[in-house]
Amino acid sequence: MTELIPAPRAVTAAPGEVRLTARSRLYAGPGAEGAGRWLRTALGQATGLPLHEGREPDGTDADGTDGIALQVDGRLGPEEYRLVSDARGVLVEGGDAAGVFWGAQTLRQLLGPDAHRRAPVRRDRIWAVPHLTIEDAPRFRWRGLMLDVARHFMPKDGVLRYLDLMAAHKLNVFHFHLTDDQGWRIEIRRHPRLTEVGAWRARTKFGHRASPLWDEKPHGGHYTQDDIREIVAYAAERHITVVPEIDVPGHSQAAIAAYPELGNTDVIDTTALSVWDTWGVNPNVLAPTDNTLRFYEEVFEEVLDLFPSEFVHIGGDECPKEQWRSSPAVQARIAELGLADEDALQSWFVRHFDTWLSARGRRLIGWDEILEGGLADGAAVSSWRGYAGGTAAARAGHDVVMCPEQHVYLDHRQDGGPDEPVPIGWVRTLEDVYRFEPVPPELTPAQAAHVIGTQANVWTEAMEDAARVDYQVFPRLAAFAEVAWSALPAPAERDFADFERRTVAHYARLDALGVAYRPPGGPRPWQRRPGVLGRPIEGPPPHR
């Protein structure tokens, strides 16, 4: 009946409904004021109802008019909520402010797809909430989406829109991939060339790296520090934590193009490098010098000032060692540090920033390659190369975010046929994502407790604009959100037919939100461009 996504823990239906009218009021108790402001704005825009401030905490106004009440109830757990719709009105109680907010998101779904619009479409519409009781709480505390804005830049308004879409699906961690070989997207005031030079490339490979096609227009853009502050504040209002990623020591050609001294100058002419215009694993990596360390410490100082998140992501993956092997300066550095080889040098590089961040009260998180060489106790791992890295990290006592590319890389194609607009990676259907299980069964309960959550990753090499991002992400993100939030049974026992049934209603919500999702049954005829992006490539995509 409720057709909610993600599915709540328990729903008890009753006869009757609460009708919201121009006389209905909204009461937000102590600690619930933020959710109240959001709900009044969202529903006010969609319904045209004023939802004036209420005076009674039970969901009614003094004259008995049906209304909405939002309250914090400390007897509930973190992010847990209870929603009761009955003859007194609608009451949403949360264990904390976040729980109230997630309950408010559920309330919006209960009001129907048009409650997700930005203006009323029918002035005579009856807005009703069925009588019911919903009890709900998340499975994981890290329910993430990673967005790559380095390969294809997404302007600020697009980022804010994705934060709204995350909130609508009860996702609460936004992993912001801000730097890579193909672009540097965050203003660093002490090093202005990072955006003056590093934020722009002259042209772009169109499609997969095997494609013969190029877009010959310059591409780029960056976020000012005030843009970042706005994004972080906007996310916080929606109980989303923004985790920045500054990639080191690989995936760094944009930074080297801006400041050639960061590269291995005794091996190549780094002054000839420009921001990279194609995809894949780049051989140009940072030089492990004291000057490079100081440079990135200064970068991270500004990053920490902008992002209050507990975790800071340092990448740490896909660092080719060829330049280090052939560099006399790097070989001397390895000898000076008493390291065994180039792999140990990368571990030393990662541990330096692990220690540096820990001293400032932050925690390092990186892709699972950072396990090689050992980590500080507080460091965490994003397990992307399957489950093995995350399993090893959890057994070693490190917190883990599971995001294996075989399951939750949303740039992978959604069908095996030739009509998919982005024919890269493994085929991962909506059902495949729905049957993804973040916790490896071989972990003991104590080890499994280190799997703090899961994350879907959106790499944008072959996503040239927001519409293409939407197409790749939705509706699969809805399936992922249910995996991250709901207490689902084992993958083989999950009721995908029921999820598909609820997704029919969810498509109407996505329509109201303006999401250009992949339609049921595959691409529409005018979306089919077989061969334009290169033949389908089975196996890893053109990145991680």
Side-chain angles (χ1 to χ4, degrees):
M1 179 186 69
T2 56
E3 298 176 327
L4 297 172
I5 291 179
R9 183 173 60 192
V11 180
T12 304
E17 63 182 19
V18 173
R19 290 195 175 187
L20 301 181
T21 69
R23 298 177 60 200
S24 299
R25 293 180 178 269
L26 192 157
Y27 168 83
E33 298 90 348
R37 285 191 298 271
W38 174 85
L39 188 62
R40 181 174 287 111
T41 299
L43 294 188
Q45 289 176 341
T47 67
L49 301 177
L51 295 176
H52 295 302
E53 186 173 346
R55 295 189 294 274
E56 301 294 330
D58 64 353
T60 67
D61 196 23
D63 61 2
T65 303
D66 284 346
I68 301 168
L70 309 176
Q71 296 189 136
V72 172
D73 184 341
R75 293 171 295 180
L76 300 174
E79 298 192 273
E80 184 178 3
Y81 72 89
R82 180 190 304 113
L83 188 156
V84 179
S85 171
D86 58 21
R88 295 170 296 176
V90 178
L91 173 63
V92 177
E93 297 174 303
D96 52 16
V100 177
F101 181 74
W102 303 131
Q105 290 285 355
T106 296
L107 173 58
R108 183 167 69 155
Q109 287 198 19
L110 290 170
L111 284 165
D114 285 346
H116 294 75
R117 296 188 181 276
R118 297 184 185 179
V121 294
R122 297 176 185 84
R123 290 290 178 180
D124 58 348
R125 168 71 184 269
I126 294 174
W127 298 96
V129 182
H131 284 179
L132 45 62
T133 298
I134 296 176
E135 296 179 87
D136 203 7
R139 180 185 180 190
F140 293 108
R141 66 182 178 95
W142 183 304
R143 306 180 301 280
L145 175 71
M146 190 229 68
L147 180 64
D148 166 20
V149 296
R151 275 52 177 269
H152 279 100
F153 179 65
M154 181 177 285
K156 181 191 68 179
D157 283 353
V159 174
L160 299 179
R161 172 176 173 264
Y162 258 82
L163 291 171
D164 280 329
L165 292 172
M166 288 179 63
H169 293 82
K170 298 184 174 69
L171 299 175
N172 69 341
V173 178
F174 180 56
H175 176 168
F176 208 5
H177 185 78
L178 288 162
T179 73
D180 217 295
D181 298 303
Q182 296 87 359
W184 185 285
R185 304 297 179 214
I186 178 172
E187 176 190 20
I188 302 297
R189 290 174 177 168
R190 273 176 288 190
H191 301 296
R193 286 176 59 83
L194 286 171
T195 48
E196 291 172 359
V197 175
W200 290 89
R201 58 179 182 261
R203 65 174 188 167
T204 299
K205 172 72 73 169
F206 187 75
H208 192 277
R209 64 178 177 270
S211 166
L213 304 180
W214 293 88
D215 183 345
E216 296 293 346
K217 298 188 301 294
H219 177 86
H222 75 277
Y223 310 103
T224 68
Q225 293 202 355
D226 281 345
D227 290 338
I228 294 292
R229 292 186 179 96
E230 180 182 358
I231 289 167
V232 170
Y234 193 87
E237 290 173 351
R238 287 147 183 80
H239 298 278
I240 296 171
T241 299
V242 184
V243 174
E245 181 181 354
I246 306 295
D247 232 324
V248 295
H251 290 285
S252 297
Q253 182 162 320
I256 298 169
Y259 292 93
E261 64 271 21
L262 296 174
N264 296 284
T265 56
D266 60 338
V267 177
I268 63 165
D269 179 9
T270 55
T271 63
L273 291 179
S274 58
V275 177
W276 210 27
D277 57 12
T278 189
W279 321 125
V281 179
N282 190 306
N284 296 302
V285 301
L286 297 175
T289 65
D290 288 339
N291 287 339
T292 298
L293 296 179
R294 297 294 86 76
F295 182 98
Y296 272 88
E297 286 173 359
E298 290 170 356
V299 168
F300 279 115
E301 284 172 2
E302 297 194 26
V303 168
L304 296 191
D305 185 56
L306 295 169
F307 296 91
S309 56
E310 174 187 6
F311 288 98
V312 175
H313 209 291
I314 58 92
D317 64 313
E318 293 183 334
C319 179
K321 309 299 193 299
E322 289 80 5
Q323 289 184 359
W324 286 358
R325 291 188 185 98
S326 58
S327 165
V330 172
Q331 293 302 308
R333 182 67 156 169
I334 290 173
E336 172 194 342
L337 296 169
L339 301 175
D341 54 21
E342 294 78 19
D343 292 334
L345 180 64
Q346 182 177 353
S347 297
W348 167 84
F349 200 105
V350 170
R351 285 198 304 272
H352 174 88
F353 286 102
D354 191 349
T355 302
W356 190 91
L357 288 167
S358 296
R360 288 153 181 81
R362 305 298 184 96
R363 294 178 65 186
L364 179 146
I365 185 169
W367 304 109
D368 53 58
E369 287 95 329
I370 68 171
L371 281 167
E372 300 159 8
L375 289 176
D377 290 342
V381 170
S382 300
S383 186
W384 75 275
R385 296 179 299 176
Y387 287 98
T391 300
R395 284 173 170 163
H398 293 287
D399 286 342
V400 177
V401 176
M402 282 293 186
C403 49
E405 63 173 332
Q406 299 91 336
H407 298 275
V408 290
Y409 269 37
L410 300 185
D411 51 324
H412 286 204
R413 51 198 167 121
Q414 302 175 70
D415 185 83
D419 293 334
E420 277 298 282
V422 185
I424 62 173
W426 290 278
V427 174
R428 288 297 170 260
T429 65
L430 183 66
E431 182 172 0
D432 290 333
V433 174
Y434 191 68
R435 297 195 187 280
F436 163 59
E437 171 49 48
V439 179
E442 61 267 30
L443 294 180
T444 67
Q447 293 166 347
H450 284 291
V451 181
I452 59 174
T454 183
Q455 177 174 291
N457 292 340
V458 183
W459 302 104
T460 62
E461 287 97 329
M463 300 183 212
E464 68 275 11
D465 55 34
R468 184 64 69 220
V469 175
D470 277 8
Y471 182 94
Q472 290 300 116
V473 170
F474 290 98
R476 291 185 294 181
L477 190 68
F480 172 80
E482 186 148 309
V483 169
W485 176 276
S486 304
L488 297 177
E493 300 169 7
R494 293 177 188 171
D495 190 347
F496 179 68
D498 176 69
F499 176 77
E500 274 195 309
R501 179 189 62 78
R502 288 181 285 120
T503 303
V504 172
H506 201 63
Y507 284 127
R509 296 184 194 118
L510 297 179
D511 286 332
L513 289 165
V515 177
Y517 55 86
R518 183 183 190 271
R524 298 180 177 97
W526 59 86
Q527 292 175 314
R528 295 173 178 165
R529 296 185 294 175
V532 171
L533 298 182
R535 62 180 178 82
I537 306 292
E538 184 67 30
H543 55 259
R544 295 178 175 78

